[in-house]
């Protein structure tokens, strides 16, 4: 126990109700400062982290109860800033990118559990998706090209593929869907619908349009 007005200094240990060690942390002059570590109830490390002057500062690394690395976050004064990585339970990379002041920015990549790329694209400084995002299935086949303008709005030809073949194209203008074109398995156009203001209907006989809207 601390006397009134006394500040914590040094290493502190916290425990689960069952008695297992839950966390080791370090205080300096009453504030979290230095390296800390949390634990699963089986004793395996759950997270390692570093504080400076009572704020998260540096890498926060998370593990599951089996000891598999699951996530690496970087903080600066309690705010997500720097490289980010997450991992599947099988240990393979799930996603990677970067944060600045708590916002995802720059190029990000996401993966399937088998290691194949699932999607990749970029964010602007406000965290909005920009440019062309590419999507792939578990076999590595391209399934979609999704374009955005510099303000994060859908803009341009959003092209979908099915088993390496052109499936349908949704065209956007500043976030508004203005045209949908459908194709059969031979690549022949079977439906073309659109209007500049986005106020149009799609013929129900057009094939495979479930993802169009």
């Amino acid at each position: 126990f601390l006397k009134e007005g006394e500040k914590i200094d040094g290493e502190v240990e916290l425990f689960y109700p069952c008695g297992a060690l839950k966390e080791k942390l370090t205080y300096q002059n009453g504030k979290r400062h230095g390296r800390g570590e949390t634990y699963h109830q089986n004793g395996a490390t759950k997270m390692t982290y570093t504080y400076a002057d009572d704020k998260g500062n540096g890498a926060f690394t998370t593990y599951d109860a089996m000891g598999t690395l699951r996530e690496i976050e970087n903080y600066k004064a309690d705010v997500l800033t720097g490289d980010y990585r997450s991992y599947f339970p099988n240990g393979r990379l799930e996603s990677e990118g970067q944060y600045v002041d708590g916002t995802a920015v720059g190029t990000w990549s996401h993966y399937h559990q088998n290691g194949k790329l699932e999607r990749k694209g970029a964010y602007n400084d406000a965290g909005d998706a920009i440019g062309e995002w590419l999507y792939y299935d578990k076999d590595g086949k391209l399934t979609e090209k999704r374009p955005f303008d510099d303000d994060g709005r859908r803009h341009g030809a959003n092209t979908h593929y099915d088993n390496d073949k052109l499936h349908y194209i949704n065209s956007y203008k500043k976030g508004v869907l203005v045209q949908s074109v459908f194709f059969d398995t031979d690549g022949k156009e079977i439906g073309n619908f659109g209007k500049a203001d986005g106020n149009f209907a799609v013929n129900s006989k057009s094939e495979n349009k479930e993802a169009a809207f």
Side-chain angles (χ1 to χ4, degrees), residues 23-183:
E23 185 173 6
K24 285 184 180 180
L25 56 156
T26 305
Y27 280 83
Q28 186 178 85
N29 199 30
K31 296 181 179 180
R32 283 193 173 197
H33 191 86
R35 189 180 184 276
E37 188 168 353
T38 63
Y39 303 89
H40 294 280
Q41 289 194 44
N42 66 358
T45 296
K46 185 176 184 179
M47 177 186 288
T48 61
Y49 58 81
T50 303
Y51 272 77
D53 199 28
D54 224 23
K55 294 182 179 180
N57 208 63
F60 278 54
T61 305
T62 304
Y63 304 85
D64 65 22
M66 301 300 294
T68 303
L69 176 63
R70 297 302 305 275
E71 188 176 48
I72 302 175
E73 301 172 299
N74 282 279
Y75 286 84
K76 185 176 181 180
D78 261 354
V79 180
L80 268 173
T81 298
D83 294 337
Y84 173 88
R85 284 191 172 196
S86 64
Y87 298 84
F88 289 109
N90 63 11
R92 285 180 168 165
L93 185 63
E94 180 178 14
S95 62
E96 60 180 343
Q98 189 176 57
Y99 284 94
V100 173
D101 292 333
T103 301
V105 299
T107 301
W108 278 70
S109 299
H110 302 264
Y111 300 87
H112 294 286
Q113 287 199 50
N114 65 2
K116 296 284 188 179
L117 184 64
E118 187 267 328
R119 68 185 186 274
K120 184 175 183 177
Y123 295 99
N124 61 19
D125 291 344
D128 300 315
I130 58 172
E132 185 174 69
W133 281 69
L134 301 177
Y135 291 74
Y136 302 86
D137 65 18
K138 293 179 181 179
D139 295 320
K141 294 179 180 179
L142 180 66
T143 60
E144 182 182 355
K145 294 179 180 179
R146 185 181 297 181
F148 296 87
D149 65 15
D150 291 340
D151 295 319
R153 297 172 296 189
R154 295 280 193 94
H155 189 75
N158 183 192
T159 307
H160 296 255
Y161 302 88
D162 184 16
N163 199 26
D164 286 333
K165 294 182 179 180
L166 184 61
H167 188 34
Y168 62 93
I169 301 174
N170 285 334
S171 294
Y172 291 84
K173 185 175 182 181
K174 296 182 178 180
V176 178
L177 178 63
V178 295
Q179 185 183 38
S180 292
V181 183
F182 300 90
F183 303 86

Side-chain angles (χ1 to χ4, degrees), residues 178-195:
V178 295
Q179 185 183 38
S180 292
V181 183
F182 300 90
F183 303 86
D184 65 17
T185 55
D186 294 321
K188 180 182 177 182
E189 184 179 306
I190 58 173
N192 191 324
F193 312 91
K195 196 173 181 181

